Amino acid sequence: MSDTFDLQDWLGARRGEIQELLDRRVAIPSPDQGGDPGRLMESIRYSLLSPGKRLRPVLGLAAAQAVGAALTEPVRIATAAIELIHCYSLIHDDLPAMDDDDMRRGKPTNHKAFGEATAILAGDGLCTLAFEWIAEAGKKAGPDQAAAYLDACLVLAQAAGAPAGMVRGQGRDLGEAAPKTLQQAEVLHAEKTGALFRAAVEIGAVVGGATPEERQALVNFGQAYGIAFQHADDISDEEHQHLQDQARSRLKELTDKADAALVGFDERAAPLRGLANALANALAD
Ligand code: GRG
């Protein structure tokens, strides 16, 4: 695959499939199904179907492919569930009580378009829907796959949660002074952004039938990739300016580490290698 592999083609195909799946599975109930009280499903679709990069589900699919899995409907549903959590976090992060943002993905934020109460409910609804999707995907995959999908639910809950995941990172961001050192910044990045990236890769591995060794290697990839992603995002947004030079060299170190984690994988890991390489070069010009 690697001789002829084109990352942009692969990404375009996967993104198209994810978009189709999200559009199909998050429908506005018809009048005979009771309609859409409070325009809640409309507000969920507004944020979910707006043009995001779909990086987390794409990473999940790339991990499943790396361990030799076919990208079946249950695998696609489980990886798309991570986008539901990501979208919920963006809606809540944009609220006046959090970052108070007016625009997201080129459009007014959910609370600007639908009001704060609906935006809060949209996030709540997306969060629970993610776990519903993984459980349902497990049922579709069949009894011999049940344990893998249960494991995927656990991975996602822990990565998204308050005791150790994304919500904890948001709490840290709100409750602590801005990081002074790169090490402090990385503690924040690992929870707030990195946990979901790591989970995306781990979920792809788990539902793809990874061996324990493959799973650990992919977790190592996801951990390095997630922190590197946040360094790149901070550098391009000019956040934590005093750390920019260190963050630039760390970005290279971390993307090298992500690539090194894939050493035992064959050409089926080409999408993951390509994604790490693209992140390493994201700030090149
Ligand atoms: C539980 C009240 C409550 C809020 C949760 C945890 C949380 C809010 C927010 C943290 C999530 C967050 C906004 C992290 C920043 C990570 C980041 C750079 C997001 C943008 O990701 P991209 O670039 O976006 O992948 P697209 O739009 O392409 O999906």
Side-chain angles (χ1 to χ4, degrees):
M1 182 196 279
S2 45
D3 283 350
T4 54
F5 179 70
D6 184 316
L7 180 67
Q8 291 314 319
D9 282 356
W10 190 90
L11 284 177
R14 300 293 82 75
R15 283 179 175 139
E17 290 159 5
I18 293 159
Q19 189 74 8
E20 183 279 324
L21 185 148
L22 296 174
D23 191 10
R24 169 166 46 87
R25 292 182 60 87
V26 183
I28 296 182
S30 61
D32 61 315
Q33 291 169 314
D36 187 21
R39 298 172 68 207
L40 184 57
M41 295 307 293
E42 184 187 341
S43 94
I44 286 178
R45 281 179 60 88
Y46 173 88
S47 292
L48 187 63
L49 301 180
S50 60
K53 295 183 288 297
R54 313 297 181 207
L55 255 181
R56 295 151 190 82
V58 154
L59 280 160
L61 292 171
Q65 179 171 311
V67 299
L71 304 185
T72 59
E73 181 75 354
V75 168
R76 285 184 216 281
I77 295 171
T79 55
I82 308 151
E83 185 72 11
L84 305 183
I85 295 286
H86 171 57
C87 184
Y88 124 71
S89 82
L90 297 179
I91 294 172
H92 280 192
D93 194 54
D94 290 336
L95 286 167
M98 299 271 173
D99 263 11
D100 196 9
D101 280 316
D102 292 348
M103 297 295 287
R104 168 70 63 185
R105 293 174 165 172
K107 299 199 312 197
T109 45
N110 194 291
H111 67 273
K112 285 281 163 192
F114 292 89
E116 267 185 64
T118 303
I120 292 168
L121 290 178
D124 294 342
L126 281 161
C127 183
T128 50
L129 192 61
F131 298 99
E132 183 181 323
W133 279 18
I134 300 183
E136 193 196 326
K139 282 194 161 191
K140 269 188 208 290
D144 58 326
Q145 295 296 311
Y149 284 78
L150 186 62
D151 209 358
C153 270
L154 177 63
V155 167
L156 188 58
Q158 288 176 333
M166 178 184 72
V167 176
R168 177 178 162 100
Q170 185 77 348
R172 185 186 294 283
D173 206 6
L174 292 174
E176 285 183 354
K180 290 192 177 60
T181 65
L182 194 75
Q183 201 181 10
Q184 287 167 352
E186 289 196 356
V187 170
L188 178 63
H189 297 346
E191 291 170 350
K192 191 175 158 178
T193 316
L196 212 52
F197 276 110
R198 196 255 305 131
V201 178
E202 191 171 7
I203 287 168
V206 166
V207 300
T211 64
E213 294 73 25
E214 287 172 333
R215 178 174 175 169
Q216 186 56 56
L218 291 168
V219 165
N220 295 343
F221 174 96
Q223 246 154 6
Y225 184 98
I227 296 173
F229 176 91
Q230 191 58 58
H231 280 315
D233 197 61
D234 280 355
I235 293 166
S236 64
D237 288 353
E238 300 184 355
E239 284 274 335
H240 311 310
Q241 296 247 23
H242 60 296
L243 300 175
Q244 296 254 317
D245 290 345
Q246 288 176 70
R248 267 182 196 277
S249 50
R250 203 47 193 143
L251 173 64
K252 170 87 177 92
E253 237 174 78
L254 286 165
T255 50
D256 284 349
K257 194 171 167 185
D259 190 60
L262 302 175
V263 72
F265 291 82
D266 65 17
E267 75 285 353
R268 289 173 294 190
L272 285 179
R273 291 193 179 95
L275 284 159
N277 186 48
L279 182 56
N281 294 311
L283 305 167
D285 33 61

